[in-house]
Structures are given as C-alpha cells and as structure tokens.
Amino acid sequence: MRDDFSEATKKELAAMVGYKCSNPCCRRTTIGPKLSGEGTINLGEAAHIKAASPGGKRYDPDMTPEERAGYENGIWMCRTHAALIDRDEKYFTVELLYKWKQKAEESAGKELIEGEGTIRKCKFRMNIFYRDLKEYISAMELFKMRRGVVINTQMLPIQNNWEEHLEEISELIGPELTATLYNINRIVEEFRLTMEEEARRLKGGPKLDYISVIYCQKQDFFMDKMQEWLTKDLLETIKFYTEI
Ligand SMILES: [Zn+2]
C-alpha cells in the first residue's frame, strides 16, 4: 500500500517550483513540448520526502495516509534527482529536503519577478570539489603502490577559500556532506603543510633520504582518514550535484 499523491497535489508541487527540479544545484526544467510538437512531456516527479510505504527512505510510521500523500510531504524533482534522494537517507535527510523545497519555492517566486539571474553557485562549487577529490584519489593510488613515495603538493590541489565556499553552500548540501568535505579538505591542507615544511627544512641541509620515512608516519594517518571519508558513495553524491 503506497500513499501516492493525487494528480492535483502533483500539479501543485510542480507549479509551486515553476516545474523545475528542487535540487538547488540542478533547477532543471521538467516540462516542455514534445519534439513532435503534439502535447507536452513531463520529466519531473513528485517525490515523497517521507516514504509512501514501509521500507522506503525516511518512512515515518506515525504519519496518517493523508499526511503521507499531502502537499507538505512532497517535493518536485527531475527524474535523476528523484532517484538520487531515494538511494541515501544519510545525505538526503528530511530536514535537507524540506530546506530544498522551501528554497525552490522561494527561487521560483524570485525568478517570476526577476527572471533567471540566479548564479548556480552550488553547482559551480561542487564541480571544483569533484575535480579536486578525483585528484586526491589519484594521489592515494600512488601512495598505495609505493609506500613512502615522495609526492609534492601539486598532486593534492585545494581550492582557494574552500572553507568559505563550503560555508556558502552548506545549507543546501546538508550537514553530513558539509562535514565530510570539511574533514577531507582539512586533512589535505594539513598534509600539504607537512610536505612543505619538510621541503623547507631539508633544503640545503644534508641530503638524507629520510623524507620518505618522515612522510610515512604522517602518510599512514592521512591514508586511514582519507579512505574512511573519501568513499565511492561520497564521490557519486558529489557527482550528482554537478550533473544537470
Ligand atoms: Zn534535478
């Protein structure tokens, strides 16, 4: 038994956000004319914030069927992102989806008056994070192959003012993802600092080959943490944010 939305509720959910995906990094239009010119095609979905049936994501047994099928419990999404929010309730929490819904309604109202001038800050930032994270993964592969390999800071890029950028979008991506990205960037920054200090210290000094030994100790910690935080799931989630 699924507590599905009525056609009227679906229409209202779509109209309230201008028929655009409520993911703040997406905002893709979900309705338009069919290429044949006959009728319209809808690529959007009214998704449940709290699942329509037991076993679904964010299911709340204390809700009545009416509440579950009500406007308050729905969020309009493009197909890709409707699927996204149903794969992970750790990152896509009830609180985050309520926030997205509220923001999407606000944006739709604003766009109605101002046109579409809103810069897609979130998408832009997530694109940079995604690129950096992929570089980190390559660097880690190198570490794994040759323990103690001497690497340089260029292999671990980090965006300028990342902390500021992360703060700007944290409300949109939720606390879990913000914390993970924060931790990753922080440890990369720390490890880069270690490398720089070592390079400075050894410059002109005795050319002993213990750079690798020193890195090793820091590297173990760095690798442990990176493997814990920089998971395939995380990378996939970030990638979803960058896709339109
Ligand atoms: Zn979307």
Side-chain angles (χ1 to χ4, degrees):
M1 271 288 283
R2 287 177 51 88
D3 297 316
D4 283 322
F5 299 116
S6 68
E7 285 308 312
T9 302
K10 286 183 194 171
K11 218 171 163 186
E12 194 186 356
L13 283 165
M16 284 295 279
V17 293
Y19 279 87
K20 286 182 183 167
C21 178
S22 300
N23 173 350
C25 298
C26 177
R27 303 289 290 132
R28 140 192 241 159
T29 295
T30 58
I31 198 162
K34 276 186 186 159
L35 283 181
S36 65
E38 284 171 42
T40 56
I41 184 161
N42 173 26
L43 293 174
E45 267 176 41
H48 282 78
I49 294 177
K50 295 176 181 173
S53 55
K57 293 284 189 289
R58 300 169 294 274
Y59 182 74
D60 178 358
D62 295 331
M63 279 177 119
T64 65
E66 289 73 30
E67 283 170 334
R68 224 169 266 130
Y71 177 84
E72 290 303 315
N73 192 38
I75 182 167
W76 190 254
M77 309 288 287
C78 74
R79 287 206 178 147
T80 307
H81 292 125
L84 168 71
I85 65 167
D86 276 342
R87 65 182 273 282
D88 201 332
E89 55 190 2
K90 181 182 156 204
Y91 289 125
F92 305 101
T93 59
V94 169
E95 291 71 33
L96 180 65
L97 297 179
Y98 280 148
K99 194 149 269 170
W100 279 10
K101 181 177 178 174
Q102 187 200 338
K103 287 265 172 199
E105 288 177 356
E106 277 171 24
S107 302
K110 235 175 158 184
E111 282 160 13
L112 205 57
I113 302 165
E114 297 169 7
E116 290 194 41
T118 325
I119 301 166
R120 291 184 177 148
K121 245 186 207 170
C122 184
K123 191 189 167 207
F124 178 70
R125 303 270 188 270
M126 290 301 248
N127 248 316
I128 303 176
F129 278 123
Y130 182 65
R131 227 178 38 206
D132 286 354
L133 292 180
K134 282 187 65 164
E135 297 271 345
Y136 301 163
I137 288 174
S138 310
M140 282 163 69
E141 287 304 317
L142 216 102
F143 282 174
K144 268 188 246 168
M145 278 185 330
R146 291 169 55 202
R147 269 182 65 91
V149 67
V150 178
I151 63 154
N152 63 55
T153 53
Q154 264 132 48
M155 292 160 73
L156 293 172
I158 203 160
Q159 55 176 314
N160 288 332
N161 313 323
W162 62 266
E163 217 167 305
E164 222 172 90
H165 291 166
L166 196 54
E167 219 169 84
E168 279 175 0
I169 59 170
S170 73
E171 207 183 61
L172 299 174
I173 63 173
E176 279 286 340
L177 197 51
T178 302
T180 309
L181 282 174
Y182 180 86
N183 287 338
I184 289 174
N185 281 307
R186 169 66 68 197
I187 200 166
V188 167
E189 199 170 66
E190 276 171 16
F191 193 58
R192 278 167 54 103
L193 214 68
T194 305
M195 288 192 277
E196 278 165 17
E197 273 167 16
E198 287 305 313
R200 243 197 319 273
R201 202 170 64 83
L202 290 171
K203 206 171 190 181
K207 291 266 184 251
L208 293 174
D209 186 27
Y210 58 31
I211 303 176
S212 51
V213 181
I214 293 161
Y215 277 0
C216 244
Q217 298 166 358
K218 299 267 184 184
Q219 225 181 70
D220 287 343
F221 181 70
F222 174 79
M223 285 295 279
D224 280 354
K225 288 295 171 194
M226 286 297 265
Q227 269 159 355
E228 181 187 333
W229 295 327
L230 187 43
T231 59
K232 225 179 122 215
D233 257 10
L234 175 83
L235 205 68
E236 247 177 65
T237 304
I238 306 273
K239 189 159 179 279
F240 265 113
Y241 273 103
T242 68
E243 279 169 355
I244 280 204

